[in-house]
Every structure is written in C-alpha cells, then in structure tokens.
Amino acid sequence: MRRFKEFIIEKIILLSGFACILFVILIFFFLAKDGLALFKFSSPWNFLFGTLWSPLSEPPQIGILPLFLGSLIVTIGAAVISVPLGMACAIFIAEIAPKWMREILKAGVELLAAIPSIVIGFIGMTMLSPIVKHIFHLPTGLTALTGSIALAFMAIPTMVSIMEDSISSVPRIYKEGSLALGATHWQTIYRVIIPAASSGIVAAIMLGIGRVIGETMAVMMLTGNASVMPHTILAPVRTMTATIAAEMGETVRGSEHYFALFAIGLVLFGITFLINFLADMARHRKNK
Amino acid sequence: MSKIETKNLDLFYGTFQALIDVDLVIKEKMITALIGPSGCGKSTLLRALNRMNDLIDGVKVTGKVLIDGKNIYEPGTDLVELRKKVGMVFQRPNPFPLSVFDNIAYGPRTHGLKDRGKLGEIVERFLSRVQLWDVLKDRLEDSALDLSLEQQQRLCIARLVAVMPDVVLMDEPCSALDPLATQRIEELMFELKKDYTILIVTHNMQQAARVSDWTGFMLLGKLVEYGETKQVFTNPQEKQTEEYITGRYG
Ligand SMILES: Nc1ncnc2c1ncn2[C@@H]1O[C@H](COP(=O)(O)OP(=O)(O)OP(=O)(O)O)[C@@H](O)[C@H]1O
Ligand SMILES: [Mg+2]
C-alpha cells in the first residue's frame, strides 16, 4: 500500500514536471506558427533590420529595428541605474546594516517587489515625467529615460533579494580570514565577499534585466510610444512589448500586421530565453 | 622576552563568562600550546589576542592584553595594524575562492602593494617557505579550492606570513588533516619558530608535547596551569592538569 502511494506521488511529480516543459514547448510552437507566417509577406532581413514600423500604411512597413532599439535603450538605461543601486543596497543589507535594520529593509524590498507595475507607471506619469521634462527642458517628459528609471525600480527588488541571499551565504570563514589578515571591512567586501558571491550576483542582474525586457504596462505609460528610430535616451521611444500590447486589439486576424506582432513575440521569447540561459550559466559556473 | 601578556583578562558572551581572570605571559619566538577540554575557552582566548571576538555581538572584555607592552584593548587601537601583527590560522583551511597567486598576494595587496613583479617575488618566497612552490609553481592561476586540504592549510599559513606578522595564532590547525599531513605541518611550525611567536590550540596532547615549548592548561574559562611543556607533562603542579593529561578527566 505504501509502495503504491509512493509510486503515485512519484508519477504525479513526474507528470507536473513534463507539463511545465510541455507548456513552454506549446507556447513556443504557438508563437512560431503565427510569427513565422509573417515571412510569407516579407523577408526576415526586412523584418529585423527595417527602420520603419508603420503597419497601417499601404503597403505596410514592418521593420522592428526602432522597436528593438527602443527596448534596448530602455533596458540599458534601467540596467545602468538598477545594477549599482541594487548592489549597494544588497551589500548594505547583508554586510553593514545592524540586525534590526536589516529585517526592516528586507521587508521593505519585498514590499517594493509587490507593487503592481501599473501603479509604478501611474506614479511615473504623475511624479517622474514632469521632473524629467523640467530638468532636461524637453517638450515631453515621456521618454526612454523616464521608462528606464521606473523599470529600474521594478528590477531592483528582484536583484536585491537574490544578491543579498548570495552575499549572506558567503561562508563566514572567508570574512574572518580576510579580517584576520588586517584587511578592512570594505576591502573584505570587495576583494573576497563580492568575488565569492559573483555567480549569484550575475544571476540576479540577469533576472532583473529579464524582468525589465518583458515589462509592458509601465513602459507603455511612460516612454511616449513613438515608433521612430531613437537617437538619444531623452527621446520618446516604443518598446517591443508595448507595441504588441497597443496594437494587438486593433489588428485584423491573419493580416501581415497580425503575424508581425507574433514575430515580435517570438523575438522577445528568444531574448528572454537567452538571458535566462546566461543567468543559469552564471549560477552554475561555480561548480564547473 | 615576553611578547604577549594578558592581565586579569575576563571575557563575556552576553552574560556567560567564557574567560575568567586569565594571566598569561607568552615568550617571543617560542611555540606555546593551549590545551583543555572542549568548551573551556581556548579558541576564545586565542581570538581575544587579535580581537577577532569583536565581530561577535554582545562580547565584553575587561582586563588587559599587552602586546609588545601596549594594551590592545585601549580605545583608539588600530585593528588593522593589530591584525597585521597578530595573524591567525583557522581550524578549517579557509583559502579564498581566488587563484593561488591571489591568495598569497591578498595581504600585501590590501596593504598597498600593487607592483606585479614584486607580488610575484612575494608569492614565490612565501610558497617556498611552506614547501609549496615546487608543487604549485605551474598552477598559480588555479583556484585555491582545488588543492588538497593539507595544501590549503599550508597556503593559508603562507598567506598569513606574507603579511609579515610577529605572532601567529593557530586554532587547531591540523584537526582537518590526516596524521602524515599533521606531522608535516608540525615540521613547518618548527621551521617558522625561528621568526615568529606561535600560539597553538590543540586537542591532541601528543601534539602539544611534541611541538610546544610552553603549555597552558585551561578548564572552564580559567588558565589552571601554565609552564614549560616538559614540566607540565611530566610534573604537573595541579591535580586537574594531571587528571586531564593522563586521560582521567571527566
Ligand atoms: N559566540 C558565542 N556566543 C556565546 N557563547 C559562546 C560563543 N562562542 C563560544 N561560546 C561559549 O564559550 C565557551 C568557550 O568556547 P570556546 O570556543 O572558546 O571553547 P574551546 O575551548 O575552543 O572549545 P573547542 O575545543 O570545542 O574548540 C563555550 O562554553 C562556548 O559555548
Ligand atoms: Mg575551539
């Protein structure tokens, strides 16, 4: 009887494992089926490197380069802001803050992670964008930079909690060994603790960036939604995710435009897949 | 010449008193062993000498620890200078997860040396000092974590002496090693004695008898007996010491 129970449980776990993989594969095929259909209308080269996104003109112009660059600028901006801030925050929580403050900060970071992205978009729109507009004397405060800042705050909680975990789990004997050699606390942090935690830190950065790339709601509200080739971070841009979200509702099923949106989805899928893969590599580098 | 002197040293973990009125005089360029049953305060005493206990919350120390005549618990003591002078080897070998080279160069680098050539000389000199140079000279860029335990412990000793300390504190440095490796580390200690004042905590009474010049026996936070090793082992003055070294303790 007990044997039988074990058997059933084992099979259920096996099944759910397979189900997960199956879903990923199904999603991929679903995307690929409609996404690749685009290439009946246009070539992959024109799709990936075309500089004009104007699906409603006649004939439709389907080039995702401006959208890709929009995503890229927003993502790089968010990374530049969130990585140093997240690192500093994680180091402070794990190494410097006194015990009572550590608990409060960790709870705070988790709370930040729980804020829905629409709320961040809302705050960004009403508070952040006027500031950006004012500081840089822009015609509009809805720019790539505005999106980057808001996204940075969405990436930071993920980054901080994973980084903090990996810094805290650096064995105590490394820290003691370093201090016993006459190193200062700060030297110990950047010469021993951070290198020892580096695989976790890299993974944290990758996952944070993954979240930024996939984010839709806040960028749609904050980046100005102009699908033109961006020249500076202070220009309005439109990301790939925002394009799909904004246009899916108004496209005709089976049209070139419709397939193009799926193709964008396919590109996004590829990018996030790559990033997760790199994060995994980083995490396992330690036990090579 | 006395290198280290503790005077009425008391140490509390919160309300628990782990060291009780310890008076100890350690001679320069000798090996001093601390023995005693588990939990009697050997590690605590050792860590009080380079103020590693400062890292633990709620530790309170009263009394004095004089090193070269200066009380290290005086306010304003420079902990970096103190720990450069009084280094420590840990029970479990703890090389950093860096290359062999970077492990040895760690101390000199933290104290400001940048010149790669000079660092290279230091690495060679101190790896030779612990008889690792010939084995490792082609593996300097390998991770130190890939070495055997004995090699790791030697590396830690080399890493420490590369900082040029006066005093080397060793907390059960051989307890993770097999008997042959232990013997070779003991030989290394003899060799290092020429230049350093060494304090070793050990559970192994044969080891204390073999390597040390002076021996202290601790019990429940007190230094019960302290004297020349030969005398402590052959003619202990205290009954508790005799019971412990003849294995009749507890
Ligand atoms: N961080 C700490 N907080 C509270 N009590 C502690 C702490 N560290 C040690 N103690 C207590 O202090 C006493 C002495 O500990 P210590 O580690 O110095 O003993 P030891 O002689 O080195 O023992 P062992 O031979 O097992 O290493 C023990 O009773 C121990 O429980
Ligand atoms: Mg101990």
Side-chain angles (χ1 to χ4, degrees):
Chain A
M1 189 57 209
R2 202 208 215 112
R3 265 274 189 67
F4 181 70
K5 231 164 136 187
E6 290 269 316
F7 177 83
I8 293 289
I9 291 174
E10 233 171 64
K11 291 300 165 215
I12 289 179
I13 292 172
L14 188 74
L15 260 177
S16 12
F18 272 122
C20 287
I21 300 173
L22 189 73
F23 287 142
V24 174
I25 294 175
L26 280 179
I27 289 173
F28 177 76
F29 275 112
F30 176 68
L31 267 180
K33 182 175 126 303
D34 280 351
L36 294 177
L38 172 70
F39 302 126
K40 283 189 291 201
F41 300 89
S42 109
S43 76
W45 177 268
N46 284 343
F47 170 67
L48 289 174
F49 298 104
T51 57
L52 199 60
W53 176 265
S54 174
L56 299 179
S57 59
E58 203 44 62
Q61 297 291 320
I62 307 281
I64 64 161
L65 198 59
L67 313 178
F68 179 80
L69 289 180
S71 283
L72 192 71
I73 289 185
V74 172
T75 305
I76 290 177
V80 166
I81 299 166
S82 60
V83 170
L85 267 179
M87 284 272 277
C89 189
I91 290 171
F92 183 76
I93 294 177
E95 277 296 318
I96 297 166
K99 215 173 183 171
W100 60 270
M101 198 194 281
R102 184 173 314 168
E103 296 312 316
I104 296 176
L105 284 174
K106 277 169 90 164
V109 167
E110 263 147 44
L111 207 65
L112 194 58
I115 299 178
S117 75
I118 187 96
V119 173
I120 295 219
F122 187 68
I123 295 173
M125 213 158 177
T126 53
M127 320 262 305
L128 185 60
S129 87
I131 297 175
V132 171
K133 178 176 167 174
H134 187 74
I135 289 180
F136 296 100
H137 306 290
L138 300 172
T140 167
L142 298 176
T143 64
L145 179 67
T146 320
S148 294
I149 296 173
L151 285 186
F153 277 92
M154 295 170 65
I156 282 173
T158 321
M159 287 191 188
V160 170
S161 54
I162 299 174
M163 284 180 186
E164 196 267 331
D165 262 3
S166 62
I167 291 175
S168 306
S169 59
V170 170
R172 205 188 147 73
I173 50 171
Y174 292 160
K175 183 175 172 181
E176 293 200 338
S178 171
L179 292 172
L181 291 171
T184 61
H185 190 185
W186 174 237
Q187 286 171 327
T188 302
I189 290 174
Y190 81 84
R191 284 173 192 258
V192 175
I193 296 181
I194 291 181
S198 63
S199 56
I201 291 175
V202 172
I205 292 174
M206 292 300 195
L207 291 176
I209 289 178
R211 168 139 200 228
V212 167
I213 292 180
E215 169 51 35
T216 308
M217 216 53 222
V219 279
M220 207 151 95
M221 294 170 77
L222 294 177
T223 56
N225 276 320
S227 57
V228 289
M229 292 290 283
H231 295 288
T232 97
I233 195 167
L234 295 173
V237 297
R238 170 185 247 181
T239 64
M240 296 190 282
T241 49
T243 306
I244 300 178
E247 298 179 5
M248 200 43 125
E250 53 195 55
T251 169
V252 183
R253 224 188 140 103
S255 67
E256 182 175 355
H257 185 195
Y258 175 85
F259 292 133
L261 295 180
F262 274 88
I264 295 178
L266 202 58
V267 171
L268 274 171
F269 185 90
I271 293 173
T272 37
F273 186 80
L274 189 74
I275 287 177
N276 275 320
F277 180 72
L278 291 178
D280 248 27
M281 294 258 291
R283 223 175 326 187
H284 294 297
R285 195 181 45 181
K286 233 187 346 203
N287 4 314
K288 62 172 175 206
Chain B
M1 259 273 318
S2 74
K3 184 77 188 170
I4 305 178
E5 257 184 273
T6 70
K7 289 188 173 158
N8 310 103
L9 183 65
D10 293 319
L11 186 145
F12 299 83
Y13 291 112
T15 54
F16 173 75
Q17 186 165 8
L19 293 179
I20 304 167
D21 201 19
V22 173
D23 287 299
L24 177 70
V25 178
I26 289 167
K27 299 260 190 288
E28 189 162 16
K29 303 202 173 148
M30 299 259 176
I31 299 180
T32 304
L34 289 175
I35 58 172
S38 196
C40 68
K42 307 179 294 292
S43 301
T44 304
L45 177 57
L46 206 64
R47 292 163 60 92
L49 304 181
N50 65 347
R51 290 189 56 175
M52 283 308 271
N53 288 323
D54 288 21
L55 299 180
I56 299 167
D57 284 338
V59 168
K60 208 178 105 230
V61 179
T62 62
K64 286 184 184 168
V65 175
L66 306 176
I67 293 183
D68 293 327
K70 259 189 72 193
N71 182 10
I72 61 167
Y73 282 94
E74 203 117 280
T77 299
D78 183 347
L79 287 186
V80 168
E81 285 305 315
L82 169 66
R83 289 173 185 159
K84 265 166 79 173
K85 192 154 140 182
V86 184
M88 183 157 217
V89 174
F90 295 78
Q91 181 166 1
R92 284 205 24 162
N94 63 341
F96 302 131
L98 307 170
S99 69
V100 170
F101 186 100
D102 288 341
N103 264 279
I104 307 289
Y106 187 86
R109 272 186 181 139
T110 42
H111 302 123
L113 185 63
K114 292 208 179 73
D115 185 292
R116 182 86 192 177
K118 286 217 185 77
L119 287 171
E121 284 167 28
I122 287 179
V123 169
E124 170 165 3
R125 179 154 127 237
F126 288 99
L127 278 181
S128 307
R129 187 91 208 244
V130 297
Q131 289 100 42
L132 280 181
W133 175 251
D134 291 327
V135 207
L136 294 185
K137 63 172 181 273
D138 302 318
R139 295 176 58 190
L140 295 179
E141 294 308 319
D142 285 11
S143 167
L145 302 184
D146 295 339
L147 305 179
S148 75
L149 273 182
E150 181 194 352
Q151 287 174 333
Q152 288 188 7
Q153 195 61 301
R154 281 176 187 271
L155 185 78
C156 291
I157 295 172
R159 178 179 75 184
L160 173 59
V161 292
V163 181
M164 318 265 197
D166 290 354
V167 179
V168 175
L169 308 173
M170 298 181 157
D171 194 348
E172 304 187 41
C174 301
S175 65
L177 306 181
D178 63 52
L180 265 177
T182 299
Q183 193 190 339
R184 287 192 295 260
I185 297 273
E186 286 174 8
E187 282 159 15
L188 175 61
M189 287 167 57
F190 270 123
E191 210 275 309
L192 293 173
K193 184 168 108 172
K194 295 198 296 268
D195 300 311
Y196 306 97
T197 304
I198 298 177
L199 221 82
I200 175 176
V201 165
T202 176
H203 259 125
N204 178 330
M205 257 164 318
Q206 286 80 22
Q207 182 171 57
R210 276 194 304 264
V211 299
S212 69
D213 305 293
W214 291 73
T215 296
F217 170 64
M218 294 184 71
L219 193 60
L220 296 174
K222 290 192 180 128
L223 184 66
V224 172
E225 175 150 3
Y226 183 58
E228 287 197 60
T229 300
K230 211 188 284 158
Q231 176 254 309
V232 172
F233 278 92
T234 54
N235 183 22
Q237 304 297 298
E238 302 289 329
K239 199 154 171 292
Q240 290 159 321
T241 316
E242 186 182 342
E243 282 175 1
Y244 183 71
I245 58 179
T246 53
R248 266 182 288 144
Y249 171 82

PDB file of all heavy atoms in Angstrom, chain B residues 13 16 18 37-44 56 172 203, ligand 1:
ATOM      1  N   TYR B  13      30.403  36.441  26.868  1.00  0.00           N
ATOM      2  CA  TYR B  13      29.464  36.395  25.738  1.00  0.00           C
ATOM      3  C   TYR B  13      28.108  36.721  26.336  1.00  0.00           C
ATOM      4  O   TYR B  13      27.490  35.845  26.944  1.00  0.00           O
ATOM      5  CB  TYR B  13      29.408  35.004  25.128  1.00  0.00           C
ATOM      6  CG  TYR B  13      30.664  34.567  24.397  1.00  0.00           C
ATOM      7  CD1 TYR B  13      31.447  33.537  24.896  1.00  0.00           C
ATOM      8  CD2 TYR B  13      31.041  35.177  23.200  1.00  0.00           C
ATOM      9  CE1 TYR B  13      32.582  33.110  24.216  1.00  0.00           C
ATOM     10  CE2 TYR B  13      32.172  34.753  22.519  1.00  0.00           C
ATOM     11  CZ  TYR B  13      32.941  33.729  23.023  1.00  0.00           C
ATOM     12  OH  TYR B  13      34.057  33.319  22.353  1.00  0.00           O
ATOM     13  N   PHE B  16      27.299  35.175  29.812  1.00  0.00           N
ATOM     14  CA  PHE B  16      28.127  34.000  30.085  1.00  0.00           C
ATOM     15  C   PHE B  16      29.605  34.375  30.095  1.00  0.00           C
ATOM     16  O   PHE B  16      30.113  34.966  29.144  1.00  0.00           O
ATOM     17  CB  PHE B  16      27.864  32.930  29.027  1.00  0.00           C
ATOM     18  CG  PHE B  16      28.784  31.753  29.128  1.00  0.00           C
ATOM     19  CD1 PHE B  16      28.617  30.804  30.131  1.00  0.00           C
ATOM     20  CD2 PHE B  16      29.844  31.594  28.231  1.00  0.00           C
ATOM     21  CE1 PHE B  16      29.472  29.727  30.229  1.00  0.00           C
ATOM     22  CE2 PHE B  16      30.700  30.515  28.323  1.00  0.00           C
ATOM     23  CZ  PHE B  16      30.511  29.576  29.328  1.00  0.00           C
ATOM     24  N   ALA B  18      33.229  33.515  29.607  1.00  0.00           N
ATOM     25  CA  ALA B  18      33.994  32.460  28.949  1.00  0.00           C
ATOM     26  C   ALA B  18      35.469  32.475  29.334  1.00  0.00           C
ATOM     27  O   ALA B  18      36.146  31.458  29.212  1.00  0.00           O
ATOM     28  CB  ALA B  18      33.848  32.582  27.429  1.00  0.00           C
ATOM     29  N   PRO B  37      39.800  20.669  27.793  1.00  0.00           N
ATOM     30  CA  PRO B  37      38.625  20.013  27.211  1.00  0.00           C
ATOM     31  C   PRO B  37      37.803  20.972  26.362  1.00  0.00           C
ATOM     32  O   PRO B  37      37.949  22.181  26.456  1.00  0.00           O
ATOM     33  CB  PRO B  37      37.824  19.548  28.433  1.00  0.00           C
ATOM     34  CG  PRO B  37      38.303  20.395  29.541  1.00  0.00           C
ATOM     35  CD  PRO B  37      39.717  20.747  29.253  1.00  0.00           C
ATOM     36  N   SER B  38      36.933  20.388  25.543  1.00  0.00           N
ATOM     37  CA  SER B  38      36.094  21.184  24.647  1.00  0.00           C
ATOM     38  C   SER B  38      35.264  22.190  25.434  1.00  0.00           C
ATOM     39  O   SER B  38      34.722  21.873  26.485  1.00  0.00           O
ATOM     40  CB  SER B  38      35.183  20.226  23.882  1.00  0.00           C
ATOM     41  OG  SER B  38      34.652  20.892  22.785  1.00  0.00           O
ATOM     42  N   GLY B  39      35.210  23.405  24.922  1.00  0.00           N
ATOM     43  CA  GLY B  39      34.364  24.413  25.546  1.00  0.00           C
ATOM     44  C   GLY B  39      35.005  25.141  26.717  1.00  0.00           C
ATOM     45  O   GLY B  39      34.355  25.932  27.392  1.00  0.00           O
ATOM     46  N   CYS B  40      36.314  24.914  26.959  1.00  0.00           N
ATOM     47  CA  CYS B  40      36.941  25.541  28.120  1.00  0.00           C
ATOM     48  C   CYS B  40      37.399  26.962  27.821  1.00  0.00           C
ATOM     49  O   CYS B  40      37.825  27.678  28.712  1.00  0.00           O
ATOM     50  CB  CYS B  40      38.116  24.702  28.614  1.00  0.00           C
ATOM     51  SG  CYS B  40      39.482  24.676  27.446  1.00  0.00           S
ATOM     52  N   GLY B  41      37.357  27.372  26.558  1.00  0.00           N
ATOM     53  CA  GLY B  41      37.692  28.769  26.259  1.00  0.00           C
ATOM     54  C   GLY B  41      39.002  28.968  25.517  1.00  0.00           C
ATOM     55  O   GLY B  41      39.492  30.088  25.420  1.00  0.00           O
ATOM     56  N   LYS B  42      39.560  27.884  24.943  1.00  0.00           N
ATOM     57  CA  LYS B  42      40.835  28.022  24.234  1.00  0.00           C
ATOM     58  C   LYS B  42      40.714  28.940  23.018  1.00  0.00           C
ATOM     59  O   LYS B  42      41.501  29.876  22.863  1.00  0.00           O
ATOM     60  CB  LYS B  42      41.337  26.644  23.767  1.00  0.00           C
ATOM     61  CG  LYS B  42      41.409  25.601  24.857  1.00  0.00           C
ATOM     62  CD  LYS B  42      41.887  24.269  24.337  1.00  0.00           C
ATOM     63  CE  LYS B  42      40.935  23.577  23.357  1.00  0.00           C
ATOM     64  NZ  LYS B  42      39.669  23.107  23.942  1.00  0.00           N
ATOM     65  N   SER B  43      39.713  28.657  22.190  1.00  0.00           N
ATOM     66  CA  SER B  43      39.545  29.494  20.995  1.00  0.00           C
ATOM     67  C   SER B  43      39.230  30.934  21.391  1.00  0.00           C
ATOM     68  O   SER B  43      39.707  31.883  20.775  1.00  0.00           O
ATOM     69  CB  SER B  43      38.409  28.972  20.125  1.00  0.00           C
ATOM     70  OG  SER B  43      38.661  27.656  19.739  1.00  0.00           O
ATOM     71  N   THR B  44      38.420  31.060  22.425  1.00  0.00           N
ATOM     72  CA  THR B  44      38.058  32.403  22.876  1.00  0.00           C
ATOM     73  C   THR B  44      39.303  33.185  23.287  1.00  0.00           C
ATOM     74  O   THR B  44      39.473  34.348  22.909  1.00  0.00           O
ATOM     75  CB  THR B  44      37.083  32.300  24.061  1.00  0.00           C
ATOM     76  OG1 THR B  44      35.955  31.528  23.651  1.00  0.00           O
ATOM     77  CG2 THR B  44      36.633  33.669  24.513  1.00  0.00           C
ATOM     78  N   ILE B  56      31.727  39.391  17.125  1.00  0.00           N
ATOM     79  CA  ILE B  56      30.537  38.741  17.684  1.00  0.00           C
ATOM     80  C   ILE B  56      29.766  39.744  18.526  1.00  0.00           C
ATOM     81  O   ILE B  56      30.358  40.477  19.321  1.00  0.00           O
ATOM     82  CB  ILE B  56      30.966  37.527  18.538  1.00  0.00           C
ATOM     83  CG1 ILE B  56      31.716  36.526  17.654  1.00  0.00           C
ATOM     84  CG2 ILE B  56      29.766  36.881  19.200  1.00  0.00           C
ATOM     85  CD1 ILE B  56      32.436  35.455  18.426  1.00  0.00           C
ATOM     86  N   GLU B 172      43.656  24.892  16.329  1.00  0.00           N
ATOM     87  CA  GLU B 172      43.568  23.504  15.855  1.00  0.00           C
ATOM     88  C   GLU B 172      43.857  23.392  14.360  1.00  0.00           C
ATOM     89  O   GLU B 172      43.006  22.930  13.594  1.00  0.00           O
ATOM     90  CB  GLU B 172      42.182  22.939  16.174  1.00  0.00           C
ATOM     91  CG  GLU B 172      41.849  23.044  17.643  1.00  0.00           C
ATOM     92  CD  GLU B 172      40.562  22.329  18.005  1.00  0.00           C
ATOM     93  OE1 GLU B 172      40.344  21.231  17.480  1.00  0.00           O
ATOM     94  OE2 GLU B 172      39.788  22.862  18.813  1.00  0.00           O
ATOM     95  N   HIS B 203      43.705  19.842  20.498  1.00  0.00           N
ATOM     96  CA  HIS B 203      43.023  18.825  21.281  1.00  0.00           C
ATOM     97  C   HIS B 203      43.921  17.624  21.491  1.00  0.00           C
ATOM     98  O   HIS B 203      43.603  16.714  22.253  1.00  0.00           O
ATOM     99  CB  HIS B 203      41.782  18.338  20.511  1.00  0.00           C
ATOM    100  CG  HIS B 203      40.537  18.963  21.016  1.00  0.00           C
ATOM    101  ND1 HIS B 203      39.681  19.647  20.206  1.00  0.00           N
ATOM    102  CD2 HIS B 203      40.028  19.039  22.251  1.00  0.00           C
ATOM    103  CE1 HIS B 203      38.682  20.105  20.930  1.00  0.00           C
ATOM    104  NE2 HIS B 203      38.872  19.749  22.171  1.00  0.00           N
TER     105      HIS B 203
HETATM  106  N1  LIG C   1      29.588  33.272  20.019  1.00  0.00           N
HETATM  107  C1  LIG C   1      29.366  32.739  21.230  1.00  0.00           C
HETATM  108  N2  LIG C   1      28.293  33.099  21.949  1.00  0.00           N
HETATM  109  C2  LIG C   1      28.042  32.573  23.153  1.00  0.00           C
HETATM  110  N3  LIG C   1      28.833  31.661  23.745  1.00  0.00           N
HETATM  111  C3  LIG C   1      29.936  31.247  23.097  1.00  0.00           C
HETATM  112  C4  LIG C   1      30.259  31.759  21.801  1.00  0.00           C
HETATM  113  N4  LIG C   1      31.400  31.174  21.383  1.00  0.00           N
HETATM  114  C5  LIG C   1      31.764  30.347  22.377  1.00  0.00           C
HETATM  115  N5  LIG C   1      30.900  30.383  23.409  1.00  0.00           N
HETATM  116  C6  LIG C   1      30.988  29.624  24.650  1.00  0.00           C
HETATM  117  O1  LIG C   1      32.214  29.952  25.281  1.00  0.00           O
HETATM  118  C7  LIG C   1      32.816  28.795  25.811  1.00  0.00           C
HETATM  119  C8  LIG C   1      34.219  28.667  25.270  1.00  0.00           C
HETATM  120  O2  LIG C   1      34.165  28.431  23.883  1.00  0.00           O
HETATM  121  P1  LIG C   1      35.457  28.181  23.004  1.00  0.00           P
HETATM  122  O3  LIG C   1      35.016  28.079  21.601  1.00  0.00           O
HETATM  123  O4  LIG C   1      36.458  29.214  23.330  1.00  0.00           O
HETATM  124  O5  LIG C   1      35.942  26.770  23.545  1.00  0.00           O
HETATM  125  P2  LIG C   1      37.125  25.871  23.045  1.00  0.00           P
HETATM  126  O6  LIG C   1      37.966  25.584  24.226  1.00  0.00           O
HETATM  127  O7  LIG C   1      37.791  26.467  21.876  1.00  0.00           O
HETATM  128  O8  LIG C   1      36.365  24.558  22.627  1.00  0.00           O
HETATM  129  P3  LIG C   1      36.688  23.540  21.445  1.00  0.00           P
HETATM  130  O9  LIG C   1      37.819  22.717  21.937  1.00  0.00           O
HETATM  131  O10 LIG C   1      35.423  22.744  21.317  1.00  0.00           O
HETATM  132  O11 LIG C   1      37.015  24.338  20.233  1.00  0.00           O
HETATM  133  C9  LIG C   1      31.937  27.624  25.467  1.00  0.00           C
HETATM  134  O12 LIG C   1      31.166  27.317  26.599  1.00  0.00           O
HETATM  135  C10 LIG C   1      31.051  28.139  24.369  1.00  0.00           C
HETATM  136  O13 LIG C   1      29.768  27.572  24.452  1.00  0.00           O
END
